[in-house]
Amino acid sequence: MANATELLPGSRTDGDGSAVVRVLGYNIRSMRDDTGALARVIAACAPDLVLVQEAPRFFRWRKKLARLAAASGLVVLTGGATAAGPAILCSLRATVERTEDVLLPLTPGLHRRGFATAVVRFAGARLGVLSCHLSLQSEERYAQGGALLDRLAGMGVEHVIAGGDLNERPGGRTFRRLAGELRDCWEAAPWGGEYTSTPADPHQRIDALFASPGIEVLGCGVPLDLPGVTEADLRAATDHLPVLAALRVPAA
């Protein structure tokens, strides 16, 4: 396990217009836990983009999400209740082209699911972004995996990333479906910890970040030893561990 901060590059723009972008995926359990710990973890990861799952969806949900973003040094880009839970936060480094929240077909008796999506620029690099939280039910989850790939393909952007709580381990067919067309960032360049569930007993990887083939993965994993990230905060923040990646996105 890597534990030196320098092993995961910081955000930067290179002379050729390409950009190193730090992306964090995090299921925040509707901010029902220690929001101070949650904000400290996010801020310590210094992300350019945060792909959130289980953002607040009910009373004053916009204010709650905005307060978390502000406490983390970020702003709300899109999502929340309008995407049935997924959301995207970003730093002021991002230039936003467009956003779209997508509601997926509702299966009676199951939770509504959706995608938060955006197209952003970092210097000369243009990037499609999607945050998701897939179904607990196998057949619905597999269909949602196909919808995710279709949505990315229809964004009209060469380089894309997607991430979230898949509710499935890497051997599952939906996980394999996504990894067949995108790069599983942990597999491409493992860094930090692997398992995302649960903070008290990490034993499975059900949260992941994926990138299109043209993106270089510089490192990806659970930021267990990152300065500013403590075990106490990781346990108190929510019921998942976050996934942090550094990605080099080529110039458009």
Side-chain angles (χ1 to χ4, degrees):
M1 179 188 301
N3 59 13
T5 310
E6 60 267 26
L7 293 180
L8 192 72
S11 304
R12 71 173 189 269
T13 302
D14 292 329
D16 61 358
S18 65
V20 174
V21 179
R22 286 170 71 110
V23 182
L24 186 71
Y26 212 173
N27 182 321
I28 65 172
R29 199 161 80 135
S30 298
M31 295 173 60
R32 292 194 303 238
D33 301 288
D34 186 334
T35 55
L38 182 63
R40 286 192 295 272
V41 170
I42 295 173
C45 291
D48 297 296
L49 295 165
V50 184
L51 311 188
V52 171
Q53 297 79 54
E54 293 193 34
R57 292 184 294 128
F58 301 110
F59 184 65
R60 293 182 175 172
W61 65 269
R62 286 186 174 87
K63 278 191 175 180
K64 292 176 183 176
L65 193 57
R67 285 173 182 163
L68 175 64
S72 308
L74 304 167
V75 296
V76 178
L77 180 52
T78 193
T82 49
I88 304 172
L89 311 181
C90 70
S91 71
L92 295 179
R93 184 178 177 227
T95 299
V96 182
E97 284 193 12
R98 65 178 187 269
T99 66
E100 183 178 7
D101 296 331
V102 180
L103 291 175
L104 297 172
L106 176 63
T107 301
L110 298 179
H111 289 295
R112 191 68 183 257
R113 305 284 176 172
F115 302 144
T117 75
V119 176
V120 297
R121 287 181 181 269
F122 295 94
R126 188 166 179 253
L127 185 63
V129 186
L130 184 151
S131 176
C132 69
H133 187 182
L134 302 187
S135 176
L136 288 164
Q137 201 275 332
S138 177
E139 291 300 322
E140 184 180 50
R141 182 166 63 244
Y142 189 74
Q144 290 169 353
L148 185 157
L149 293 171
D150 289 344
R151 177 63 53 172
L152 291 178
M155 292 179 80
V157 183
E158 181 180 2
H159 304 296
V160 295
I161 59 171
D165 179 351
L166 304 187
N167 275 316
E168 186 173 277
R169 300 179 184 183
R173 65 176 187 149
T174 303
F175 202 117
R176 288 187 284 111
R177 183 178 194 177
L178 298 179
E181 295 198 28
L182 304 167
R183 301 182 73 194
D184 174 359
C185 293
W186 161 261
E187 287 289 342
W191 168 90
E194 178 178 5
Y195 300 130
T196 63
S197 176
T198 60
D201 177 28
H203 64 280
Q204 59 180 350
R205 183 162 72 98
I206 60 173
D207 306 83
L209 296 172
F210 296 90
S212 53
I215 294 175
E216 181 183 0
V217 183
L218 304 175
C220 177
V222 178
L224 297 176
D225 297 307
L226 202 67
V229 176
T230 67
E231 182 178 353
D233 278 350
L234 288 172
R235 287 186 177 220
T238 177
D239 62 346
H240 285 243
L241 292 171
V243 183
L244 178 63
L247 310 172
R248 180 180 286 114
V249 184

